[in-house]
Amino acid sequence: SSGINAEWPLRPGFYVMDSANRLYMWDLSVRDSTPLVIETYEQKGLLSFTELVPAAGSTSPVLILGFKDGSIEAHQIKEEAMNNKINNISKLESYLKLVL
């Protein structure tokens, strides 16, 4: 399935949503060949997502999922996922140079 939405958050990871209602969670500081997590939302129909990043010193980011039935879910990102903060732009540029 082709990706229909992607978001690059404030750490060396990103999310991709495909047309088969799957959400892929990648972290390039861990590995670049496969996603760390694949979640499937077939029954509810995943419509959109976004990551809300709190102000410095606040709680961890929250991933908001929107579904076709009008419901939403909020998932707090684990603290250990935030410990690998790096310059995302340079990481993305380096990665793209390897794959393009």
Side-chain angles (χ1 to χ4, degrees):
S1 297
S2 62
I4 59 171
N5 192 11
E7 185 168 319
W8 188 268
L10 294 177
R11 61 186 185 285
F14 60 94
Y15 308 98
V16 175
M17 180 181 77
D18 71 13
S19 59
N21 297 304
R22 288 185 295 253
L23 183 67
Y24 301 84
M25 295 168 237
W26 296 76
D27 186 339
L28 300 179
S29 68
V30 176
R31 65 177 178 254
D32 63 0
S33 58
T34 58
L36 291 179
V37 177
I38 302 172
E39 294 289 339
T40 303
Y41 298 94
E42 286 182 34
Q43 292 185 350
K44 289 179 121 180
L46 184 61
L47 184 62
S48 65
F49 70 94
T50 192
E51 183 179 41
L52 301 178
V53 180
S58 298
T59 61
S60 297
V62 175
L63 185 64
I64 306 295
L65 306 174
F67 299 96
K68 291 178 183 174
D69 66 0
S71 63
I72 61 170
E73 291 181 6
H75 299 269
Q76 189 164 14
I77 307 298
K78 292 181 179 179
E79 188 64 34
E80 52 267 21
M82 294 303 298
N83 290 335
N84 288 329
K85 293 181 181 177
I86 62 170
N87 182 334
N88 285 332
I89 299 301
S90 64
K91 182 73 172 184
L92 177 59
E93 288 172 350
S94 298
Y95 180 74
L96 290 175
K97 285 178 186 175
L98 290 172
V99 297
L100 296 178

